[in-house]
Amino acid sequence: MRYHNITKDDMLNGDGLRVVLWVAGCSHCCKECHNPITWDPNGGLLFDAAAKEEIFEELEKDYISGITFSGGDPLHIANAFDVTELAKEIRVKFPNKTIWLYTGYTWEEIRHLEIVRYLDVLVDGEFEVAKKDLNLHWKGSSNQQVIDVKRTLKEGEVRLHEEDCEVS
Amino acid sequence: MDLKEVRVIKKDGTKEEFNVQKVVVAVNKSAYRALIKFTDEDLKFICQFVEEKVQELGKTEIQIAEMHNVVEGALEKVNPVVAKSYRDYRNYKQDFVHMLDEVYRKSQSIMYIGDKENSNTDSALVSTKRSLIFNELNKELYKKFFLTVEELQAIREGYIYIHDMSARRDTMNCCLFDVKNVLTGGFEMGNLWYNEPKTLDTAFDVIGDIVLSAASQQYGGFTVPSVDEILEPYAEKSHKKLFEKYRNLGLAEEKAQEVAWKDLEKEMEQGFQGWEYKFNSVSSSRGDYPFITVTSGTNISIYGKLVTKTMLEVRKNGQGKAGHKKPVLFPKIVFLYDEKLHGPGAPAEDLFEAGIECSRKTMYPDWLSLTGKGYVASMYKQYGKIVSPMGCRAFLSPWYERGGMNPADVDDKPVFVGRFNIGAVSLHLPMILAKSRQESKDFFEVLDYYLELIRQLHIRTYEYLGEMRASTNPLAYCEGGFYGGHLKLNEKIKPLLKSATASFGITALNELQQLYNKKSLVEDGEFALQTLEYINKKITQFKQEDGHLYAIYGTPAENLCGVQVQQFRKKYGIVENVSDRAYVSNSFHCHVTEDITPIQKQNLENRFWDLSNGGKIQYVKYPINYNVEAIKSLVRRAMDMGFYEGVNLSLAYCDDCGHEELAMDVCPVCGSRNLTKIDRMNGYLSYSRVKGDTRLNDAKMEEIAERKSM
């Protein structure tokens, strides 16, 4: 897996202050994507032990609420396996931290994947510029869903992270 | 020669018999203006000196100018300060013409152009214009009659800045007003006797009147500390009354209890709404809305909690027509945070939650740590005393009941409520560094000169204010609003000034560091730190030598942020990252354009925290308001670090359709530019736009536009 950046104390990509891993590789190619530089799976840097250590170091901090996987698409074929392994490891090592993931795939398309078991919140779906709305919480366009994965799995149908999160 | 034959020719050409008694009257007046009283011996010497000189002149007619020279000669021998005062007064005609001309010029500009020096004034109002014009005159009088030549030179060039010159001749600066002490047992205001309130409703009314009345008699921040403690007994009285009323109407105890509580909640809500209206629409006699702060949060009895919760709820909901509600700016609300009360799982965590909900909508409350690290928390942990902030960021230094500046013994306790500050004078550090380089002098040597200048000014201010009578502010000095404030109307306030603080302001530390080695406070900061440590050392020494409570204050430069740049450029030109922008950075804050995370900002500013105990605040920017957990994490972290913490959001409201959205410049719903915007100035919030028009000065607006991490 390759990645572009690890941002710290981020408050725009999930609850609390988070460490965000921006992976390389995405095949959705959404119109007006805010990060097209990350589409190429061969771009960026190799995700090595040092990068992982950098993330773990952040997660050790008490004011960090958790990690967010973004990109790129963390579930792109070049990333899905490594991201799943990493999420699994974080789940065990840091049971009190939350894991968020942004993907261009829909819940229906990925609900069977192993990784969903380790997620707290999943933001799904491609960015559709026609449905763009700056007042939405955590997502760019209204077709996307901010899914409470734990409750969704338990209750068998999609449950949103904030039921009233559409308007600020 | 017989002195009786000597005539003095006055300016208008008339002649008058020489009479040494006239000299006595004149020199006594000059002495009085300089706060000096001549002894009989002094006067005898002066008379003798003058008479001898007149004899020596051997003329029967003496021009008045010559006569003045003789008197000045005598005064120089007895007391040079009085000689200066005499000389100043002598030149008064010429000076006053100049001064009035200056005031007239300013008044014309205030009448027709407006003034943006203080964002708490709506300078369009007649009352404000009136007071602004008066302020101009008062400022000129202060400069003429209070300042020395060296001080005038320093302020003219900009090495020091004397805050609030327009009010310094009249009164003191900010305070923690002891409302409880005034209310208890009743009091007198405006020659009327007020009984102690018997209900919550009346308490709100009466406190509102006290606050407006007393706040008008000073300049700067007026804080009502621990409002939950103040209101608790009246809430209890009201509750009892309501409960009895419903019992008497025949309701069962449980039902009576339930409706009485509901009524009490309503009474509390209306009380706070009343304050919000009063404090934001009734301008004080100073012509602005007085800067009122209330602090709350540590009283967790059912009544105490109700006070804090209701106050936050009222602020959160805003005021205005339905669909167009906006938060008000006054009173500023400060949440007093005690880890044991408000921490995770603690008994009043609900107050913390309510505070966060309010902060994320309206920025206020600002959060004061009582249990973290540093000075303010140490007073709470050791003595249970709360050092509430005043105005935008000022904190009092401890004053002990028996020992004064230092505790007499282990049982001695510090007092904060009822005390005040007598004013701030700020150093212009980048200019002082530039001067030392230009003159090839040691920076600290030049700094010493200005520190000493400020020190002498403070000493004279203590003396000057001490001559004022209690009648200048009876609620404070006679009715117990201030510590020791039980004087008679005609008594001097001198004894109350012992526990007053005086501030040395520091600002533009970032630009100081930039000038020093072309690095910002993010890249370096060592020199800024070293400078601040040096100032602390000097102030501690001054405190001991003078017996005055000096304090170091991180100056919240609002107008000054632009003025200092102009001053710097005039002497030293445009220097990259020092004077190339329209504004300099506030106190020890990182430059607003720094691309740093809130955690980095907290850490970087923490270095200066314990070195600015007379005034400081820390705040970070939140680009979105729905990440509640982030706000909680950062506020909790700030509380652990011992900060006085602010939540910064760029609030914006459309005045046409009522839409609210952070940081908008055009309403995306209806396309209107008719917006009201609220931004943080520094320790307080301000309208950066009202109905589409700005109330702030250009330099501040430019700073706001460039903010990244503030």
Side-chain angles (χ1 to χ4, degrees):
Chain A
M1 177 170 68
R2 300 181 73 81
Y3 75 109
H4 276 271
N5 203 357
I6 294 170
T7 52
K8 291 158 194 173
D9 315 329
D10 182 299
M11 61 168 99
L12 298 174
N13 294 283
D15 286 330
L17 299 173
R18 314 184 69 79
V19 54
V20 184
L21 174 65
W22 305 85
V23 299
C26 181
S27 53
H28 298 286
C29 305
C30 303
K31 207 170 135 194
E32 289 187 31
C33 166
H34 71 298
N35 234 349
I37 194 174
T38 61
W39 291 356
D40 180 1
N42 299 314
L45 310 157
L46 185 71
F47 187 79
D48 55 10
K52 193 161 126 181
E53 191 44 46
E54 198 179 332
I55 287 174
F56 284 5
E57 221 171 85
E58 284 302 300
L59 289 169
E60 301 270 348
K61 295 173 180 163
D62 59 355
Y63 58 81
I64 293 296
S65 296
I67 184 167
T68 298
F69 295 104
S70 189
D73 192 332
L75 301 184
H76 180 273
I77 190 154
N79 304 320
F81 179 78
D82 287 338
V83 168
T84 304
E85 288 304 301
L86 185 56
K88 196 198 299 189
E89 191 175 347
I90 290 171
R91 182 46 75 231
V92 174
K93 267 202 169 130
F94 305 96
N96 297 323
K97 306 282 172 173
T98 57
I99 305 177
W100 284 47
L101 187 145
Y102 280 79
T103 181
Y105 299 103
T106 63
W107 170 250
E108 287 307 317
E109 290 170 308
I110 55 111
R111 50 186 277 200
H112 61 280
L113 296 180
E114 180 193 346
I115 190 165
V116 298
R117 280 195 263 147
Y118 312 125
L119 300 180
D120 293 283
V121 175
L122 178 91
V123 185
D124 81 339
E126 294 183 353
F127 169 66
E128 292 181 26
V129 69
K131 293 178 181 164
K132 175 179 166 177
D133 180 350
L134 289 175
N135 286 313
L136 297 170
H137 293 186
W138 308 126
K139 58 187 189 176
S141 58
S142 58
N143 60 298
Q144 296 171 311
Q145 306 182 93
V146 184
I147 298 167
D148 181 334
V149 178
K150 297 240 149 84
R151 274 180 57 220
T152 299
L153 290 177
K154 204 167 130 198
E155 296 174 24
E157 57 182 313
V158 172
R159 294 285 178 225
L160 299 181
H161 173 56
E162 299 170 49
E163 296 296 347
D164 58 347
C165 79
E166 300 300 313
V167 193
S168 58
Chain B
M1 192 178 67
D2 188 355
L3 281 173
K4 279 191 181 121
E5 283 167 23
V6 177
R7 297 277 181 283
V8 178
I9 306 172
K10 300 178 73 176
K11 260 190 188 149
D12 61 5
T14 57
K15 294 173 189 175
E16 216 178 63
E17 214 171 277
F18 170 74
N19 178 355
V20 83
Q21 272 316 304
K22 290 208 163 181
V23 173
V24 172
V25 172
V27 296
N28 272 335
K29 272 189 192 162
S30 296
Y32 180 74
R33 278 193 297 272
L35 303 176
I36 285 162
K37 195 166 165 24
F38 281 135
T39 62
D40 290 341
E41 260 158 58
D42 290 337
L43 291 170
K44 211 171 125 195
F45 174 85
I46 293 167
C47 290
Q48 213 171 343
F49 184 98
V50 170
E51 283 174 346
E52 272 169 23
K53 287 280 164 191
V54 171
Q55 284 278 12
E56 273 172 33
L57 286 169
K59 295 183 198 167
T60 48
E61 291 192 343
I62 302 174
Q63 293 289 337
I64 186 74
E66 213 170 343
M67 196 62 215
H68 284 318
N69 287 339
V70 172
V71 177
E72 262 180 56
L75 288 173
E76 283 294 354
K77 291 221 152 56
V78 180
N79 190 326
V81 176
V82 183
K84 181 193 178 289
S85 155
Y86 186 85
R87 212 168 18 246
D88 288 349
Y89 198 66
R90 208 185 129 183
N91 298 330
Y92 83 102
K93 261 194 178 163
Q94 192 181 330
D95 288 350
F96 268 77
V97 169
H98 181 74
M99 195 190 296
L100 277 178
D101 189 53
E102 179 75 4
V103 172
Y104 177 71
R105 211 174 46 74
K106 286 261 174 139
S107 77
Q108 289 298 93
S109 112
I110 288 164
M111 293 302 275
Y112 299 109
I113 302 166
D115 173 274
K116 282 174 180 167
E117 191 166 324
N118 179 336
S119 57
N120 293 335
T121 60
D122 179 349
S123 55
L125 295 175
V126 172
S127 55
T128 312
K129 285 193 165 123
R130 223 177 244 170
S131 88
L132 284 171
I133 293 167
F134 166 76
N135 285 351
E136 280 306 322
L137 176 64
N138 217 5
K139 196 192 237 172
E140 294 300 323
L141 291 172
Y142 178 76
K143 286 195 215 162
K144 169 107 184 86
F145 292 109
F146 193 84
L147 298 182
T148 65
V149 176
E150 291 79 15
E151 287 158 0
L152 276 174
Q153 185 79 25
I155 61 165
R156 215 159 272 161
E157 291 177 330
Y159 293 102
I160 65 171
Y161 180 86
I162 304 174
H163 296 261
D164 310 296
M165 279 200 286
S166 61
R168 284 174 154 261
R169 290 181 68 245
D170 306 332
T171 182
M172 29 59 68
N173 194 185
C174 26
C175 72
L176 298 181
F177 200 81
D178 196 344
V179 172
K180 198 179 190 115
N181 196 23
V182 173
L183 285 177
T184 307
F187 64 99
E188 196 178 282
M189 178 162 64
N191 294 325
L192 285 178
W193 179 256
Y194 282 66
N195 285 319
E196 183 171 356
K198 291 181 190 67
T199 64
L200 184 61
D201 184 39
T202 325
F204 270 110
D205 252 10
V206 174
I207 295 171
D209 291 345
I210 291 175
V211 167
L212 281 182
S213 170
S216 299
Q217 312 309 326
Q218 62 166 85
Y219 60 96
F222 185 96
T223 295
V224 181
S226 296
V227 76
D228 45 1
E229 297 290 345
I230 296 170
L231 291 173
E232 180 186 30
Y234 308 110
E236 195 176 351
K237 280 180 194 171
S238 266
H239 190 208
K240 244 187 206 144
K241 220 174 184 171
L242 288 162
F243 175 70
E244 274 159 24
K245 185 181 93 181
Y246 287 117
R247 282 294 278 167
N248 290 339
L249 287 171
L251 262 61
E253 193 173 329
E254 203 172 311
K255 189 71 192 166
Q257 199 62 262
E258 188 193 319
V259 280
W261 185 256
K262 278 231 167 74
D263 281 8
L264 183 69
E265 285 177 327
K266 191 82 204 152
E267 202 172 319
M268 191 70 85
E269 190 187 319
Q270 281 169 344
F272 278 115
Q273 277 186 359
W275 276 9
E276 288 201 341
Y277 272 99
K278 200 175 267 187
F279 297 157
N280 289 280
S281 56
V282 182
S283 62
S284 75
S285 57
R286 301 193 312 227
D288 56 3
Y289 303 118
F291 191 153
I292 298 160
T293 303
V294 296
T295 68
S296 197
T298 52
N299 183 332
I300 62 162
S301 71
I302 52 164
Y303 301 112
K305 266 192 171 182
L306 183 65
V307 170
T308 304
K309 266 198 176 157
T310 312
M311 178 165 70
L312 293 166
E313 192 68 19
V314 167
R315 178 58 52 89
K316 192 182 80 184
N317 292 339
Q319 303 292 358
K321 283 187 243 168
H324 287 78
K325 288 191 188 296
K326 290 183 283 243
V328 298
L329 301 184
F330 298 111
K332 167 173 179 163
I333 301 175
V334 176
F335 192 105
L336 303 169
Y337 182 95
D338 175 343
E339 176 79 26
K340 290 198 186 74
L341 301 177
H342 311 111
E349 195 183 358
D350 54 333
L351 291 186
F352 173 78
E353 300 280 343
I356 292 289
E357 275 305 307
C358 189
S359 280
R360 85 178 181 97
K361 277 212 85 178
T362 74
M363 291 196 254
Y364 286 151
D366 284 353
W367 298 79
L368 183 67
S369 169
L370 299 178
T371 44
K373 298 184 183 75
Y375 160 61
V376 171
S378 76
M379 288 292 134
Y380 184 76
K381 287 187 278 193
Q382 190 175 349
Y383 300 104
K385 299 283 183 174
I386 297 168
V387 196
S388 285
M390 307 178 292
C392 61
R393 57 173 64 191
F395 292 96
L396 291 166
S397 320
W399 177 264
Y400 295 85
E401 278 172 7
R402 284 176 288 117
M405 212 177 269
N406 298 297
D409 48 53
V410 284
D411 297 321
D412 207 358
K413 282 203 157 64
V415 188
F416 296 98
V417 178
R419 291 177 45 217
F420 56 91
N421 185 283
I422 61 160
V425 181
S426 287
L427 293 157
H428 190 158
L429 295 168
M431 252 181 97
I432 292 172
L433 176 60
K435 185 183 167 92
S436 74
R437 282 178 174 175
Q438 196 177 59
E439 296 175 1
S440 306
K441 282 187 185 151
D442 180 48
F443 167 69
F444 293 101
E445 187 190 319
V446 182
L447 181 57
D448 277 349
Y449 172 78
Y450 290 107
L451 284 170
E452 190 61 41
L453 210 60
I454 297 175
R455 173 194 196 177
Q456 294 306 330
L457 201 151
H458 282 328
I459 291 176
R460 290 208 317 285
T461 307
Y462 277 106
E463 285 168 2
Y464 174 86
L465 289 175
E467 295 297 310
M468 303 246 158
R469 308 275 166 176
S471 52
T472 53
N473 186 354
L475 278 173
Y477 300 121
C478 307
E479 300 297 331
F482 286 171
Y483 180 57
H486 292 288
L487 302 175
K488 295 201 179 68
L489 279 168
N490 60 358
E491 282 182 306
K492 290 184 179 173
I493 64 168
K494 198 171 197 133
L496 272 71
L497 285 162
K498 276 188 309 197
S499 66
T501 56
S503 308
F504 289 72
I506 51 110
T507 184
L509 282 193
N510 180 65
E511 285 69 21
L512 174 71
Q513 184 71 48
Q514 283 281 6
L515 183 63
Y516 181 72
N517 64 356
K518 295 190 166 50
K519 285 186 173 156
S520 72
L521 287 188
V522 174
E523 295 161 321
D524 189 355
E526 252 327 292
F527 182 69
L529 202 57
Q530 198 189 329
T531 304
L532 199 49
E533 275 162 0
Y534 181 82
I535 296 172
N536 269 269
K537 214 176 68 198
K538 288 298 272 193
I539 301 305
T540 310
Q541 177 203 327
F542 291 172
K543 265 173 97 165
Q544 269 149 16
E545 288 172 5
D546 301 346
H548 290 312
L549 278 180
Y550 302 130
I552 297 170
Y553 176 68
T555 301
E558 47 173 41
N559 189 52
L560 186 60
C561 79
V563 169
Q564 286 197 328
V565 171
Q566 296 304 326
Q567 290 168 336
F568 188 95
R569 284 183 189 171
K570 209 165 154 192
K571 279 235 121 153
Y572 305 104
I574 294 179
V575 178
E576 196 184 358
N577 293 328
V578 177
S579 59
D580 56 349
R581 284 192 157 87
Y583 59 92
V584 286
S585 306
N586 265 335
S587 63
F588 53 70
H589 296 295
C590 299
H591 201 274
V592 297
T593 59
E594 296 284 4
D595 195 5
I596 48 174
T597 73
I599 297 286
Q600 282 174 299
K601 188 165 187 287
Q602 285 184 337
N603 289 346
L604 287 164
E605 296 183 350
N606 191 30
R607 295 177 292 177
F608 305 104
W609 194 253
D610 289 333
L611 297 170
S612 324
N613 282 340
K616 50 189 176 177
I617 188 164
Q618 202 284 328
Y619 31 66
V620 297
K621 185 187 178 92
Y622 298 83
I624 53 176
N625 65 1
Y626 56 86
N627 194 341
V628 185
E629 204 174 310
I631 302 179
K632 278 189 201 171
S633 299
L634 285 163
V635 169
R636 289 240 202 252
R637 183 169 193 266
M639 295 301 96
D640 286 345
M641 292 170 92
F643 282 151
Y644 175 31
E645 178 81 2
V647 169
N648 287 0
L649 299 160
S650 203
L651 301 173
Y653 305 85
C654 175
D655 287 324
D656 286 329
C657 75
H659 177 70
E660 21 174 317
E661 185 174 319
L662 294 184
M664 62 178 171
D665 276 316
V666 180
C667 174
V669 176
C670 74
S672 171
R673 287 175 185 275
N674 185 16
L675 308 179
T676 294
K677 296 183 74 164
I678 301 178
D679 280 286
R680 182 177 290 276
M681 279 297 279
N682 34 62
Y684 63 96
L685 311 181
S686 184
Y687 292 117
S688 50
R689 236 157 106 174
V690 179
K691 301 199 193 309
D693 189 23
T694 171
R695 260 195 209 169
L696 306 183
N697 63 75
D698 294 342
K700 205 39 143 191
M701 285 309 285
E702 197 166 320
E703 188 226 89
I704 290 173
E706 293 186 348
R707 284 178 186 176
K708 261 204 197 105
S709 50
M710 172 181 169

